[in-house]
mmCIF file of all heavy atoms in Angstrom:
data_model
loop_
_atom_site.group_PDB
_atom_site.id
_atom_site.type_symbol
_atom_site.label_atom_id
_atom_site.label_comp_id
_atom_site.label_asym_id
_atom_site.label_seq_id
_atom_site.Cartn_x
_atom_site.Cartn_y
_atom_site.Cartn_z
ATOM 1 N N PRO N 455 92.399 101.865 90.161
ATOM 2 C CA PRO N 455 93.054 103.114 89.634
ATOM 3 C C PRO N 455 92.205 104.316 89.792
ATOM 4 O O PRO N 455 91.037 104.313 89.514
ATOM 5 C CB PRO N 455 93.438 102.774 88.209
ATOM 6 C CG PRO N 455 93.477 101.271 88.122
ATOM 7 C CD PRO N 455 92.491 100.780 89.112
ATOM 8 N N TYR N 456 92.813 105.424 90.206
ATOM 9 C CA TYR N 456 92.108 106.643 90.494
ATOM 10 C C TYR N 456 91.974 107.329 89.101
ATOM 11 O O TYR N 456 92.876 107.648 88.372
ATOM 12 C CB TYR N 456 92.990 107.529 91.366
ATOM 13 C CG TYR N 456 92.295 108.853 91.838
ATOM 14 C CD1 TYR N 456 91.479 108.880 92.920
ATOM 15 C CD2 TYR N 456 92.461 109.988 91.108
ATOM 16 C CE1 TYR N 456 90.883 110.032 93.361
ATOM 17 C CE2 TYR N 456 91.914 111.220 91.550
ATOM 18 C CZ TYR N 456 91.115 111.206 92.637
ATOM 19 O OH TYR N 456 90.528 112.309 93.054
ATOM 20 N N GLY N 457 90.710 107.657 88.790
ATOM 21 C CA GLY N 457 90.447 108.292 87.505
ATOM 22 C C GLY N 457 90.950 107.404 86.333
ATOM 23 O O GLY N 457 90.685 106.186 86.378
ATOM 24 N N GLU N 458 91.693 107.942 85.424
ATOM 25 C CA GLU N 458 92.297 107.208 84.361
ATOM 26 C C GLU N 458 93.761 106.889 84.537
ATOM 27 O O GLU N 458 94.546 106.712 83.608
ATOM 28 C CB GLU N 458 92.053 107.944 83.003
ATOM 29 C CG GLU N 458 90.614 108.165 82.584
ATOM 30 C CD GLU N 458 90.414 108.976 81.329
ATOM 31 O OE1 GLU N 458 91.460 108.979 80.444
ATOM 32 O OE2 GLU N 458 89.431 109.593 81.092
ATOM 33 N N GLY N 459 94.159 106.961 85.796
ATOM 34 C CA GLY N 459 95.574 106.765 86.112
ATOM 35 C C GLY N 459 96.080 105.421 85.670
ATOM 36 O O GLY N 459 95.349 104.375 85.695
ATOM 37 N N LYS N 460 97.292 105.430 85.161
ATOM 38 C CA LYS N 460 97.957 104.138 84.747
ATOM 39 C C LYS N 460 99.352 104.067 85.441
ATOM 40 O O LYS N 460 100.004 105.128 85.740
ATOM 41 C CB LYS N 460 98.202 104.134 83.248
ATOM 42 C CG LYS N 460 96.909 104.001 82.416
ATOM 43 C CD LYS N 460 97.187 103.830 80.986
ATOM 44 C CE LYS N 460 95.898 103.744 80.126
ATOM 45 N NZ LYS N 460 95.160 102.440 80.406
ATOM 46 N N SER N 461 99.816 102.867 85.615
ATOM 47 C CA SER N 461 101.133 102.635 86.299
ATOM 48 C C SER N 461 102.185 102.875 85.315
ATOM 49 O O SER N 461 102.005 102.822 84.049
ATOM 50 C CB SER N 461 101.196 101.210 86.845
ATOM 51 O OG SER N 461 101.259 100.250 85.745
ATOM 52 N N ASN N 462 103.411 103.031 85.808
ATOM 53 C CA ASN N 462 104.583 103.150 84.921
ATOM 54 C C ASN N 462 104.690 102.020 83.976
ATOM 55 O O ASN N 462 104.866 102.173 82.781
ATOM 56 C CB ASN N 462 105.887 103.296 85.696
ATOM 57 C CG ASN N 462 106.086 104.669 86.274
ATOM 58 O OD1 ASN N 462 105.541 105.594 85.846
ATOM 59 N ND2 ASN N 462 106.908 104.797 87.268
ATOM 60 N N ALA N 463 104.580 100.775 84.502
ATOM 61 C CA ALA N 463 104.763 99.675 83.703
ATOM 62 C C ALA N 463 103.706 99.545 82.559
ATOM 63 O O ALA N 463 104.039 99.170 81.448
ATOM 64 C CB ALA N 463 104.690 98.362 84.564
ATOM 65 N N ASP N 464 102.506 99.787 82.905
ATOM 66 C CA ASP N 464 101.457 99.773 81.867
ATOM 67 C C ASP N 464 101.668 100.749 80.773
ATOM 68 O O ASP N 464 101.426 100.586 79.575
ATOM 69 C CB ASP N 464 100.055 99.964 82.508
ATOM 70 C CG ASP N 464 99.566 98.731 83.204
ATOM 71 O OD1 ASP N 464 100.164 97.625 82.940
ATOM 72 O OD2 ASP N 464 98.627 98.874 84.021
ATOM 73 N N VAL N 465 102.117 102.043 81.134
ATOM 74 C CA VAL N 465 102.367 103.029 80.170
ATOM 75 C C VAL N 465 103.514 102.640 79.210
ATOM 76 O O VAL N 465 103.416 102.782 77.958
ATOM 77 C CB VAL N 465 102.691 104.414 80.800
ATOM 78 C CG1 VAL N 465 103.138 105.421 79.783
ATOM 79 C CG2 VAL N 465 101.477 104.935 81.522
ATOM 80 N N PHE N 466 104.574 102.032 79.784
ATOM 81 C CA PHE N 466 105.686 101.646 78.920
ATOM 82 C C PHE N 466 105.328 100.421 78.064
ATOM 83 O O PHE N 466 105.836 100.292 76.928
ATOM 84 C CB PHE N 466 106.939 101.359 79.828
ATOM 85 C CG PHE N 466 107.540 102.588 80.343
ATOM 86 C CD1 PHE N 466 107.582 102.898 81.712
ATOM 87 C CD2 PHE N 466 108.033 103.530 79.463
ATOM 88 C CE1 PHE N 466 108.155 104.040 82.152
ATOM 89 C CE2 PHE N 466 108.602 104.788 79.939
ATOM 90 C CZ PHE N 466 108.682 105.004 81.293
ATOM 91 N N ARG N 467 104.474 99.562 78.541
ATOM 92 C CA ARG N 467 103.968 98.519 77.658
ATOM 93 C C ARG N 467 103.218 99.129 76.485
ATOM 94 O O ARG N 467 103.372 98.711 75.350
ATOM 95 C CB ARG N 467 103.045 97.535 78.468
ATOM 96 C CG ARG N 467 103.787 96.689 79.493
ATOM 97 C CD ARG N 467 102.815 95.672 80.151
ATOM 98 N NE ARG N 467 103.458 94.938 81.137
ATOM 99 C CZ ARG N 467 103.346 95.117 82.495
ATOM 100 N NH1 ARG N 467 102.561 96.126 82.883
ATOM 101 N NH2 ARG N 467 103.968 94.399 83.334
ATOM 102 N N SER N 468 102.351 100.119 76.777
ATOM 103 C CA SER N 468 101.637 100.782 75.684
ATOM 104 C C SER N 468 102.555 101.483 74.720
ATOM 105 O O SER N 468 102.304 101.401 73.477
ATOM 106 C CB SER N 468 100.589 101.766 76.283
ATOM 107 O OG SER N 468 99.638 101.135 77.082
ATOM 108 N N LEU N 469 103.552 102.175 75.209
ATOM 109 C CA LEU N 469 104.523 102.857 74.367
ATOM 110 C C LEU N 469 105.281 101.797 73.517
ATOM 111 O O LEU N 469 105.605 102.118 72.330
ATOM 112 C CB LEU N 469 105.428 103.731 75.153
ATOM 113 C CG LEU N 469 104.815 104.980 75.740
ATOM 114 C CD1 LEU N 469 105.771 105.645 76.742
ATOM 115 C CD2 LEU N 469 104.467 105.981 74.579
ATOM 116 N N ALA N 470 105.697 100.690 74.103
ATOM 117 C CA ALA N 470 106.333 99.621 73.320
ATOM 118 C C ALA N 470 105.527 99.155 72.183
ATOM 119 O O ALA N 470 106.067 98.985 71.041
ATOM 120 C CB ALA N 470 106.734 98.532 74.293
ATOM 121 N N PHE N 471 104.276 98.914 72.437
ATOM 122 C CA PHE N 471 103.406 98.480 71.382
ATOM 123 C C PHE N 471 103.268 99.570 70.294
ATOM 124 O O PHE N 471 103.299 99.224 69.099
ATOM 125 C CB PHE N 471 102.041 98.204 71.954
ATOM 126 C CG PHE N 471 101.003 97.687 70.916
ATOM 127 C CD1 PHE N 471 100.983 96.370 70.518
ATOM 128 C CD2 PHE N 471 100.058 98.576 70.411
ATOM 129 C CE1 PHE N 471 100.060 95.943 69.558
ATOM 130 C CE2 PHE N 471 99.196 98.171 69.435
ATOM 131 C CZ PHE N 471 99.172 96.853 69.025
ATOM 132 N N ALA N 472 103.118 100.845 70.711
ATOM 133 C CA ALA N 472 102.999 101.937 69.727
ATOM 134 C C ALA N 472 104.269 102.097 68.875
ATOM 135 O O ALA N 472 104.195 102.456 67.721
ATOM 136 C CB ALA N 472 102.626 103.159 70.472
ATOM 137 N N MET N 473 105.360 101.793 69.480
ATOM 138 C CA MET N 473 106.694 101.868 68.807
ATOM 139 C C MET N 473 106.973 100.648 67.924
ATOM 140 O O MET N 473 107.916 100.653 67.147
ATOM 141 C CB MET N 473 107.835 102.134 69.768
ATOM 142 C CG MET N 473 107.739 103.405 70.607
ATOM 143 S SD MET N 473 107.917 104.898 69.605
ATOM 144 C CE MET N 473 109.629 104.768 69.049
ATOM 145 N N GLY N 474 106.103 99.655 67.972
ATOM 146 C CA GLY N 474 106.293 98.536 67.181
ATOM 147 C C GLY N 474 107.229 97.447 67.775
ATOM 148 O O GLY N 474 107.750 96.570 67.036
ATOM 149 N N TYR N 475 107.443 97.534 69.027
ATOM 150 C CA TYR N 475 108.424 96.556 69.686
ATOM 151 C C TYR N 475 107.649 95.281 70.042
ATOM 152 O O TYR N 475 106.715 95.333 70.822
ATOM 153 C CB TYR N 475 109.037 97.169 70.904
ATOM 154 C CG TYR N 475 109.808 98.433 70.713
ATOM 155 C CD1 TYR N 475 109.996 99.437 71.713
ATOM 156 C CD2 TYR N 475 110.344 98.771 69.409
ATOM 157 C CE1 TYR N 475 110.685 100.519 71.501
ATOM 158 C CE2 TYR N 475 111.024 99.977 69.207
ATOM 159 C CZ TYR N 475 111.170 100.851 70.238
ATOM 160 O OH TYR N 475 111.883 102.015 70.090
ATOM 161 N N THR N 476 108.118 94.217 69.522
ATOM 162 C CA THR N 476 107.426 92.957 69.731
ATOM 163 C C THR N 476 108.148 92.019 70.696
ATOM 164 O O THR N 476 107.818 90.866 70.818
ATOM 165 C CB THR N 476 107.193 92.193 68.357
ATOM 166 O OG1 THR N 476 108.428 92.012 67.760
ATOM 167 C CG2 THR N 476 106.289 93.047 67.417
ATOM 168 N N ASP N 477 109.255 92.463 71.295
ATOM 169 C CA ASP N 477 110.015 91.714 72.217
ATOM 170 C C ASP N 477 109.193 91.108 73.328
ATOM 171 O O ASP N 477 108.302 91.797 73.936
ATOM 172 C CB ASP N 477 111.143 92.530 72.804
ATOM 173 C CG ASP N 477 111.911 93.267 71.755
ATOM 174 O OD1 ASP N 477 111.381 94.273 71.208
ATOM 175 O OD2 ASP N 477 113.076 92.934 71.414
#
Side-chain angles (χ1 to χ4, degrees):
Y456 187 87
E458 296 179 25
K460 291 184 182 293
S461 71
N462 281 342
D464 283 343
V465 172
F466 288 116
R467 289 187 186 100
S468 296
L469 285 170
F471 180 80
M473 296 295 293
Y475 302 156
T476 58
D477 310 74

